[in-house]
Amino acid sequence: MPRAGLSRDAVVRIAADLVDAGGATGLADLTLAKVAATAGVAAPSLYKHVGSLADLRRHVALVALEELTTASAAATIGRAGPDALRALARTWRAYAQDHPGRFAAVQLAPDPDAPEDAEHRASAARVVALVAAVLQGFGLPDDRVIDAVRSVRSGVHGFVQLELSGGFRLPEDLDRSFDVLVDMLVAGVTALGDATRPLSPEEQP
Amino acid sequence: MPRAGLSRDAVVRIAADLVDAGGATGLADLTLAKVAATAGVAAPSLYKHVGSLADLRRHVALVALEELTTASAAATIGRAGPDALRALARTWRAYAQDHPGRFAAVQLAPDPDAPEDAEHRASAARVVALVAAVLQGFGLPDDRVIDAVRSVRSGVHGFVQLELSGGFRLPEDLDRSFDVLVDMLVAGVTALGDATRPLSPEEQP
DNA sequence: GCGCTTCGGCTAATAGCATTAGCTTTATGG
DNA sequence: CCATAAAGCTAATGCTATTAGCCGAAGCGC
């Protein structure tokens, strides 16, 4: 009986692909049985590489977070302000469309206390830090950055989530609606900076 | 052997309560076994009142949609424009905090084709129509209403979702962040109306 | 009050899942 | 060439949903 030559990474990769193939509910529908069948292995064998089904889901989330961070960084490099924010939003939506299951995994919140979730927490924090960095270009006061980050995450995340779970009816015009939302966020974050910055000469009343 | 006196509504109510007790993941964690235990009945007996576990989840979603619609209507009656929109947003967040499991069920998208989902589709459409009605007060051009509705839903839904799934770190300042987001949406929708409306006399350049 | 029908419960059985325990074989390193 | 660790296996447990078929309780016509 030849050996399958699995590894933890291989198992996670198989799971990530299965999860994407299952669309928006792919993560919920993930089972060890399917992973084992795809890998050509008996289900209990997976426990040599992964702690549990929940553990596997967490690792899929990690992969997704890393990919999303990498793509976001690539998309925003060399850009600043509204330009960077738009690129960031576009990247997130594109990632969700290309990887619906993985994107659902991004939503999995790590346990704030569990030590085995430390890597997950760090990875999630990296994405948030990236958003914060992009928003730095808007000259926000320090204590408003967190509000802006949360607003942007909420808007983009909410749109993408609704879109890929079928929450919007007409499939047409979705691109335009997304642009409208992103414009709102850009304007909102800009206003958040202006509200507390001293007026420039040409803005003087 | 005395009879339990169940009904479909009673079963759904028990399920809805269980789902709320389970927090953000309560809907995913719902099982017929738990419902049966709570009702004091054997699991197969539930099939006299409900078609399947998925069917039960769908009915929970229906209850949640109805409750959310009722609460939203009550909160926005007698209000218009920004005032109404703010009240709507506040109501959604409050509902999600009071009923995290039910709110997660709201996210369940009905099958656009399945005949048994007709009621679900109608109920979901009612909430959307209510949002559209609230946004009427902003004087948007007809073909922009849909963009505004989607943006508002995305922003509010996304924030609430992230909040109750633990996606935000510091529990403090969440109220302020939510206010910032809602202000962005109000300003954004207002701007969407102004952009295409002829300028009033005092706005003439 | 009597019987019939319907309805709401039951038990038993099947099948799929995650997970644990313990065995066996393969690779690997000395 | 052998010892050991890693990676697979089968068997077993216990949970889940779901189906089938039984049986007593409630309500109805008479």
mmCIF file of all heavy atoms in Angstrom, chain C residues 1 6-8 10-11 14 17-18 20 22 24 26-27 29:
data_model
loop_
_atom_site.group_PDB
_atom_site.id
_atom_site.type_symbol
_atom_site.label_atom_id
_atom_site.label_comp_id
_atom_site.label_asym_id
_atom_site.label_seq_id
_atom_site.Cartn_x
_atom_site.Cartn_y
_atom_site.Cartn_z
ATOM 1 P P DG C 1 -71.860 9.770 28.962
ATOM 2 O OP1 DG C 1 -71.748 9.335 30.328
ATOM 3 O OP2 DG C 1 -70.828 10.699 28.404
ATOM 4 O "O5'" DG C 1 -71.847 8.513 28.003
ATOM 5 C "C5'" DG C 1 -72.411 7.280 28.389
ATOM 6 C "C4'" DG C 1 -72.479 6.463 27.131
ATOM 7 O "O4'" DG C 1 -72.891 7.309 26.019
ATOM 8 C "C3'" DG C 1 -71.141 5.861 26.728
ATOM 9 O "O3'" DG C 1 -71.415 4.583 26.161
ATOM 10 C "C2'" DG C 1 -70.608 6.860 25.708
ATOM 11 C "C1'" DG C 1 -71.885 7.301 25.012
ATOM 12 N N9 DG C 1 -71.819 8.671 24.465
ATOM 13 C C8 DG C 1 -71.489 9.825 25.132
ATOM 14 N N7 DG C 1 -71.542 10.876 24.376
ATOM 15 C C5 DG C 1 -71.905 10.393 23.123
ATOM 16 C C6 DG C 1 -72.121 11.086 21.895
ATOM 17 O O6 DG C 1 -72.015 12.306 21.683
ATOM 18 N N1 DG C 1 -72.493 10.207 20.866
ATOM 19 C C2 DG C 1 -72.645 8.864 21.029
ATOM 20 N N2 DG C 1 -73.010 8.192 19.939
ATOM 21 N N3 DG C 1 -72.456 8.199 22.163
ATOM 22 C C4 DG C 1 -72.083 9.036 23.167
ATOM 23 P P DT C 6 -59.276 10.761 7.952
ATOM 24 O OP1 DT C 6 -59.911 11.462 6.838
ATOM 25 O OP2 DT C 6 -58.473 9.526 7.737
ATOM 26 O "O5'" DT C 6 -58.399 11.814 8.770
ATOM 27 C "C5'" DT C 6 -59.077 12.809 9.548
ATOM 28 C "C4'" DT C 6 -58.184 13.253 10.687
ATOM 29 O "O4'" DT C 6 -58.173 12.279 11.769
ATOM 30 C "C3'" DT C 6 -56.712 13.446 10.287
ATOM 31 O "O3'" DT C 6 -56.286 14.659 10.862
ATOM 32 C "C2'" DT C 6 -56.014 12.247 10.919
ATOM 33 C "C1'" DT C 6 -56.829 12.134 12.207
ATOM 34 N N1 DT C 6 -56.743 10.846 12.944
ATOM 35 C C2 DT C 6 -56.662 10.881 14.313
ATOM 36 O O2 DT C 6 -56.657 11.903 14.955
ATOM 37 N N3 DT C 6 -56.607 9.644 14.902
ATOM 38 C C4 DT C 6 -56.616 8.408 14.272
ATOM 39 O O4 DT C 6 -56.558 7.379 14.913
ATOM 40 C C5 DT C 6 -56.689 8.450 12.828
ATOM 41 C C7 DT C 6 -56.695 7.182 12.048
ATOM 42 C C6 DT C 6 -56.749 9.649 12.242
ATOM 43 P P DC C 7 -55.101 15.499 10.199
ATOM 44 O OP1 DC C 7 -55.656 16.591 9.393
ATOM 45 O OP2 DC C 7 -54.158 14.521 9.607
ATOM 46 O "O5'" DC C 7 -54.429 16.106 11.508
ATOM 47 C "C5'" DC C 7 -55.189 16.129 12.720
ATOM 48 C "C4'" DC C 7 -54.311 15.702 13.878
ATOM 49 O "O4'" DC C 7 -54.388 14.269 14.107
ATOM 50 C "C3'" DC C 7 -52.823 16.001 13.668
ATOM 51 O "O3'" DC C 7 -52.373 16.630 14.844
ATOM 52 C "C2'" DC C 7 -52.199 14.621 13.472
ATOM 53 C "C1'" DC C 7 -53.092 13.784 14.374
ATOM 54 N N1 DC C 7 -53.097 12.309 14.121
ATOM 55 C C2 DC C 7 -53.145 11.433 15.216
ATOM 56 O O2 DC C 7 -53.174 11.901 16.349
ATOM 57 N N3 DC C 7 -53.163 10.095 14.986
ATOM 58 C C4 DC C 7 -53.135 9.629 13.733
ATOM 59 N N4 DC C 7 -53.167 8.312 13.555
ATOM 60 C C5 DC C 7 -53.094 10.507 12.603
ATOM 61 C C6 DC C 7 -53.070 11.827 12.838
ATOM 62 P P DG C 8 -51.073 17.572 14.746
ATOM 63 O OP1 DG C 8 -51.499 18.975 14.968
ATOM 64 O OP2 DG C 8 -50.298 17.201 13.545
ATOM 65 O "O5'" DG C 8 -50.268 17.117 16.043
ATOM 66 C "C5'" DG C 8 -50.983 16.821 17.226
ATOM 67 C "C4'" DG C 8 -50.176 15.870 18.091
ATOM 68 O "O4'" DG C 8 -50.346 14.526 17.620
ATOM 69 C "C3'" DG C 8 -48.669 16.143 18.041
ATOM 70 O "O3'" DG C 8 -48.149 15.983 19.354
ATOM 71 C "C2'" DG C 8 -48.147 15.067 17.099
ATOM 72 C "C1'" DG C 8 -49.095 13.921 17.404
ATOM 73 N N9 DG C 8 -49.239 12.952 16.325
ATOM 74 C C8 DG C 8 -49.223 13.205 14.972
ATOM 75 N N7 DG C 8 -49.388 12.122 14.248
ATOM 76 C C5 DG C 8 -49.514 11.107 15.172
ATOM 77 C C6 DG C 8 -49.712 9.715 14.990
ATOM 78 O O6 DG C 8 -49.816 9.085 13.939
ATOM 79 N N1 DG C 8 -49.790 9.031 16.217
ATOM 80 C C2 DG C 8 -49.686 9.631 17.445
ATOM 81 N N2 DG C 8 -49.786 8.833 18.501
ATOM 82 N N3 DG C 8 -49.505 10.936 17.629
ATOM 83 C C4 DG C 8 -49.431 11.600 16.456
ATOM 84 P P DC C 10 -42.333 11.869 22.165
ATOM 85 O OP1 DC C 10 -41.823 12.025 23.537
ATOM 86 O OP2 DC C 10 -41.627 12.521 21.040
ATOM 87 O "O5'" DC C 10 -42.454 10.301 21.831
ATOM 88 C "C5'" DC C 10 -43.010 9.415 22.799
ATOM 89 C "C4'" DC C 10 -43.082 8.011 22.228
ATOM 90 O "O4'" DC C 10 -43.842 8.035 21.003
ATOM 91 C "C3'" DC C 10 -41.724 7.435 21.837
ATOM 92 O "O3'" DC C 10 -41.195 6.695 22.928
ATOM 93 C "C2'" DC C 10 -42.045 6.529 20.654
ATOM 94 C "C1'" DC C 10 -43.351 7.057 20.107
ATOM 95 N N1 DC C 10 -43.216 7.701 18.763
ATOM 96 C C2 DC C 10 -43.304 6.908 17.605
ATOM 97 O O2 DC C 10 -43.484 5.678 17.743
ATOM 98 N N3 DC C 10 -43.186 7.478 16.390
ATOM 99 C C4 DC C 10 -42.995 8.804 16.297
ATOM 100 N N4 DC C 10 -42.897 9.334 15.079
ATOM 101 C C5 DC C 10 -42.904 9.630 17.463
ATOM 102 C C6 DC C 10 -43.011 9.048 18.658
ATOM 103 P P DT C 11 -39.613 6.410 22.932
ATOM 104 O OP1 DT C 11 -39.237 6.249 24.349
ATOM 105 O OP2 DT C 11 -38.949 7.414 22.085
ATOM 106 O "O5'" DT C 11 -39.468 4.996 22.189
ATOM 107 C "C5'" DT C 11 -40.487 4.018 22.233
ATOM 108 C "C4'" DT C 11 -40.192 2.925 21.208
ATOM 109 O "O4'" DT C 11 -40.591 3.373 19.883
ATOM 110 C "C3'" DT C 11 -38.724 2.538 21.096
ATOM 111 O "O3'" DT C 11 -38.617 1.131 20.889
ATOM 112 C "C2'" DT C 11 -38.234 3.306 19.880
ATOM 113 C "C1'" DT C 11 -39.479 3.333 19.002
ATOM 114 N N1 DT C 11 -39.554 4.527 18.134
ATOM 115 C C2 DT C 11 -39.746 4.372 16.784
ATOM 116 O O2 DT C 11 -39.854 3.289 16.243
ATOM 117 N N3 DT C 11 -39.805 5.555 16.079
ATOM 118 C C4 DT C 11 -39.698 6.842 16.585
ATOM 119 O O4 DT C 11 -39.767 7.814 15.853
ATOM 120 C C5 DT C 11 -39.496 6.918 18.006
ATOM 121 C C7 DT C 11 -39.360 8.237 18.661
ATOM 122 C C6 DT C 11 -39.432 5.780 18.715
ATOM 123 P P DT C 14 -31.402 -1.319 9.795
ATOM 124 O OP1 DT C 14 -31.545 -2.421 8.847
ATOM 125 O OP2 DT C 14 -30.461 -1.420 10.932
ATOM 126 O "O5'" DT C 14 -31.045 -0.002 8.967
ATOM 127 C "C5'" DT C 14 -31.994 0.516 8.026
ATOM 128 C "C4'" DT C 14 -31.457 1.804 7.425
ATOM 129 O "O4'" DT C 14 -31.590 2.878 8.390
ATOM 130 C "C3'" DT C 14 -29.971 1.737 7.062
ATOM 131 O "O3'" DT C 14 -29.796 2.299 5.766
ATOM 132 C "C2'" DT C 14 -29.297 2.564 8.140
ATOM 133 C "C1'" DT C 14 -30.382 3.587 8.453
ATOM 134 N N1 DT C 14 -30.297 4.194 9.811
ATOM 135 C C2 DT C 14 -30.417 5.564 9.934
ATOM 136 O O2 DT C 14 -30.586 6.310 8.984
ATOM 137 N N3 DT C 14 -30.335 6.028 11.220
ATOM 138 C C4 DT C 14 -30.142 5.276 12.368
ATOM 139 O O4 DT C 14 -30.078 5.821 13.457
ATOM 140 C C5 DT C 14 -30.010 3.859 12.165
ATOM 141 C C7 DT C 14 -29.777 2.959 13.339
ATOM 142 C C6 DT C 14 -30.097 3.385 10.907
ATOM 143 P P DC C 17 -20.603 12.177 4.828
ATOM 144 O OP1 DC C 17 -20.562 13.368 3.954
ATOM 145 O OP2 DC C 17 -19.916 10.927 4.446
ATOM 146 O "O5'" DC C 17 -20.092 12.617 6.270
ATOM 147 C "C5'" DC C 17 -20.580 13.822 6.837
ATOM 148 C "C4'" DC C 17 -20.327 13.840 8.328
ATOM 149 O "O4'" DC C 17 -20.945 12.686 8.929
ATOM 150 C "C3'" DC C 17 -18.867 13.687 8.732
ATOM 151 O "O3'" DC C 17 -18.236 14.959 8.703
ATOM 152 C "C2'" DC C 17 -18.979 13.172 10.160
ATOM 153 C "C1'" DC C 17 -20.356 12.517 10.205
ATOM 154 N N1 DC C 17 -20.311 11.059 10.493
ATOM 155 C C2 DC C 17 -20.313 10.616 11.815
ATOM 156 O O2 DC C 17 -20.334 11.474 12.710
ATOM 157 N N3 DC C 17 -20.288 9.296 12.081
ATOM 158 C C4 DC C 17 -20.265 8.418 11.062
ATOM 159 N N4 DC C 17 -20.260 7.120 11.363
ATOM 160 C C5 DC C 17 -20.265 8.848 9.707
ATOM 161 C C6 DC C 17 -20.282 10.157 9.467
ATOM 162 P P DA C 18 -16.668 15.064 8.952
ATOM 163 O OP1 DA C 18 -16.251 16.441 8.643
ATOM 164 O OP2 DA C 18 -16.041 13.931 8.280
ATOM 165 O "O5'" DA C 18 -16.595 14.842 10.539
ATOM 166 C "C5'" DA C 18 -17.166 15.833 11.377
ATOM 167 C "C4'" DA C 18 -16.806 15.559 12.818
ATOM 168 O "O4'" DA C 18 -17.259 14.240 13.209
ATOM 169 C "C3'" DA C 18 -15.311 15.603 13.128
ATOM 170 O "O3'" DA C 18 -15.119 16.223 14.394
ATOM 171 C "C2'" DA C 18 -14.917 14.127 13.145
ATOM 172 C "C1'" DA C 18 -16.177 13.445 13.647
ATOM 173 N N9 DA C 18 -16.384 12.090 13.124
ATOM 174 C C8 DA C 18 -16.341 11.684 11.822
ATOM 175 N N7 DA C 18 -16.581 10.406 11.649
ATOM 176 C C5 DA C 18 -16.804 9.929 12.936
ATOM 177 C C6 DA C 18 -17.108 8.648 13.434
ATOM 178 N N6 DA C 18 -17.253 7.572 12.666
ATOM 179 N N1 DA C 18 -17.266 8.519 14.763
ATOM 180 C C2 DA C 18 -17.128 9.605 15.541
ATOM 181 N N3 DA C 18 -16.848 10.865 15.186
ATOM 182 C C4 DA C 18 -16.693 10.960 13.855
ATOM 183 P P DT C 20 -10.451 13.229 19.395
ATOM 184 O OP1 DT C 20 -10.393 14.015 20.636
ATOM 185 O OP2 DT C 20 -9.512 13.481 18.298
ATOM 186 O "O5'" DT C 20 -10.362 11.678 19.787
ATOM 187 C "C5'" DT C 20 -11.442 11.079 20.494
ATOM 188 C "C4'" DT C 20 -11.122 9.627 20.790
ATOM 189 O "O4'" DT C 20 -11.460 8.810 19.637
ATOM 190 C "C3'" DT C 20 -9.650 9.345 21.095
ATOM 191 O "O3'" DT C 20 -9.576 8.521 22.258
ATOM 192 C "C2'" DT C 20 -9.138 8.636 19.839
ATOM 193 C "C1'" DT C 20 -10.390 7.939 19.331
ATOM 194 N N1 DT C 20 -10.435 7.739 17.853
ATOM 195 C C2 DT C 20 -10.806 6.510 17.368
ATOM 196 O O2 DT C 20 -11.080 5.572 18.069
ATOM 197 N N3 DT C 20 -10.809 6.433 15.997
ATOM 198 C C4 DT C 20 -10.509 7.440 15.096
ATOM 199 O O4 DT C 20 -10.553 7.251 13.883
ATOM 200 C C5 DT C 20 -10.130 8.699 15.686
ATOM 201 C C7 DT C 20 -9.778 9.852 14.800
ATOM 202 C C6 DT C 20 -10.114 8.796 17.025
ATOM 203 P P DG C 22 -5.921 2.031 23.158
ATOM 204 O OP1 DG C 22 -6.265 1.139 24.282
ATOM 205 O OP2 DG C 22 -4.937 3.126 23.326
ATOM 206 O "O5'" DG C 22 -5.455 1.107 21.949
ATOM 207 C "C5'" DG C 22 -6.409 0.229 21.347
ATOM 208 C "C4'" DG C 22 -5.818 -0.343 20.078
ATOM 209 O "O4'" DG C 22 -5.897 0.633 19.011
ATOM 210 C "C3'" DG C 22 -4.330 -0.713 20.187
ATOM 211 O "O3'" DG C 22 -4.120 -1.919 19.473
ATOM 212 C "C2'" DG C 22 -3.650 0.454 19.501
ATOM 213 C "C1'" DG C 22 -4.642 0.693 18.378
ATOM 214 N N9 DG C 22 -4.509 1.949 17.666
ATOM 215 C C8 DG C 22 -4.148 3.181 18.155
ATOM 216 N N7 DG C 22 -4.122 4.109 17.236
ATOM 217 C C5 DG C 22 -4.494 3.446 16.072
ATOM 218 C C6 DG C 22 -4.642 3.917 14.743
ATOM 219 O O6 DG C 22 -4.479 5.063 14.322
ATOM 220 N N1 DG C 22 -5.038 2.894 13.879
ATOM 221 C C2 DG C 22 -5.261 1.605 14.239
ATOM 222 N N2 DG C 22 -5.623 0.759 13.278
ATOM 223 N N3 DG C 22 -5.125 1.142 15.478
ATOM 224 C C4 DG C 22 -4.738 2.116 16.335
ATOM 225 P P DT C 24 -0.843 -5.685 13.754
ATOM 226 O OP1 DT C 24 -1.318 -6.993 13.249
ATOM 227 O OP2 DT C 24 0.266 -5.594 14.734
ATOM 228 O "O5'" DT C 24 -0.471 -4.787 12.484
ATOM 229 C "C5'" DT C 24 -1.416 -4.622 11.422
ATOM 230 C "C4'" DT C 24 -0.748 -3.861 10.290
ATOM 231 O "O4'" DT C 24 -0.557 -2.470 10.672
ATOM 232 C "C3'" DT C 24 0.641 -4.363 9.903
ATOM 233 O "O3'" DT C 24 0.775 -4.221 8.510
ATOM 234 C "C2'" DT C 24 1.561 -3.413 10.646
ATOM 235 C "C1'" DT C 24 0.781 -2.117 10.463
ATOM 236 N N1 DT C 24 1.092 -1.019 11.401
ATOM 237 C C2 DT C 24 1.233 0.255 10.893
ATOM 238 O O2 DT C 24 1.109 0.523 9.715
ATOM 239 N N3 DT C 24 1.513 1.213 11.836
ATOM 240 C C4 DT C 24 1.674 1.018 13.200
ATOM 241 O O4 DT C 24 1.929 1.947 13.944
ATOM 242 C C5 DT C 24 1.522 -0.347 13.658
ATOM 243 C C7 DT C 24 1.696 -0.682 15.114
ATOM 244 C C6 DT C 24 1.242 -1.288 12.746
ATOM 245 P P DT C 26 4.609 -1.477 2.926
ATOM 246 O OP1 DT C 26 3.749 -1.757 1.764
ATOM 247 O OP2 DT C 26 5.638 -2.448 3.381
ATOM 248 O "O5'" DT C 26 5.333 -0.071 2.685
ATOM 249 C "C5'" DT C 26 4.549 1.117 2.721
ATOM 250 C "C4'" DT C 26 5.338 2.219 3.392
ATOM 251 O "O4'" DT C 26 5.555 1.932 4.779
ATOM 252 C "C3'" DT C 26 6.730 2.473 2.793
ATOM 253 O "O3'" DT C 26 6.727 3.782 2.286
ATOM 254 C "C2'" DT C 26 7.687 2.302 3.970
ATOM 255 C "C1'" DT C 26 6.753 2.569 5.145
ATOM 256 N N1 DT C 26 7.157 2.032 6.473
ATOM 257 C C2 DT C 26 7.426 2.902 7.503
ATOM 258 O O2 DT C 26 7.366 4.100 7.398
ATOM 259 N N3 DT C 26 7.777 2.288 8.683
ATOM 260 C C4 DT C 26 7.876 0.933 8.933
ATOM 261 O O4 DT C 26 8.200 0.504 10.023
ATOM 262 C C5 DT C 26 7.574 0.084 7.803
ATOM 263 C C7 DT C 26 7.668 -1.388 7.966
ATOM 264 C C6 DT C 26 7.235 0.660 6.635
ATOM 265 P P DA C 27 7.621 4.108 0.926
ATOM 266 O OP1 DA C 27 6.755 4.729 -0.061
ATOM 267 O OP2 DA C 27 8.456 2.919 0.622
ATOM 268 O "O5'" DA C 27 8.617 5.234 1.494
ATOM 269 C "C5'" DA C 27 8.812 5.190 2.785
ATOM 270 C "C4'" DA C 27 9.313 6.355 3.529
ATOM 271 O "O4'" DA C 27 9.387 5.887 4.899
ATOM 272 C "C3'" DA C 27 10.727 6.803 3.173
ATOM 273 O "O3'" DA C 27 10.848 8.160 3.584
ATOM 274 C "C2'" DA C 27 11.577 5.830 3.970
ATOM 275 C "C1'" DA C 27 10.759 5.665 5.245
ATOM 276 N N9 DA C 27 10.830 4.330 5.853
ATOM 277 C C8 DA C 27 10.700 3.111 5.244
ATOM 278 N N7 DA C 27 10.811 2.073 6.057
ATOM 279 C C5 DA C 27 11.005 2.666 7.302
ATOM 280 C C6 DA C 27 11.178 2.113 8.577
ATOM 281 N N6 DA C 27 11.187 0.813 8.826
ATOM 282 N N1 DA C 27 11.357 2.982 9.599
ATOM 283 C C2 DA C 27 11.343 4.298 9.346
ATOM 284 N N3 DA C 27 11.178 4.933 8.186
ATOM 285 C C4 DA C 27 11.015 4.042 7.190
ATOM 286 P P DG C 29 16.682 10.875 7.323
ATOM 287 O OP1 DG C 29 16.212 12.211 6.914
ATOM 288 O OP2 DG C 29 17.661 10.142 6.482
ATOM 289 O "O5'" DG C 29 17.291 10.970 8.800
ATOM 290 C "C5'" DG C 29 16.637 10.239 9.848
ATOM 291 C "C4'" DG C 29 17.653 9.457 10.671
ATOM 292 O "O4'" DG C 29 17.532 8.033 10.373
ATOM 293 C "C3'" DG C 29 19.130 9.798 10.420
ATOM 294 O "O3'" DG C 29 19.813 9.567 11.639
ATOM 295 C "C2'" DG C 29 19.537 8.756 9.390
ATOM 296 C "C1'" DG C 29 18.795 7.542 9.927
ATOM 297 N N9 DG C 29 18.533 6.489 8.963
ATOM 298 C C8 DG C 29 18.398 6.605 7.593
ATOM 299 N N7 DG C 29 18.155 5.465 7.004
ATOM 300 C C5 DG C 29 18.116 4.545 8.037
ATOM 301 C C6 DG C 29 17.887 3.146 8.011
ATOM 302 O O6 DG C 29 17.662 2.433 7.030
ATOM 303 N N1 DG C 29 17.933 2.597 9.296
ATOM 304 C C2 DG C 29 18.177 3.302 10.448
ATOM 305 N N2 DG C 29 18.188 2.608 11.576
ATOM 306 N N3 DG C 29 18.394 4.615 10.492
ATOM 307 C C4 DG C 29 18.346 5.166 9.250
#
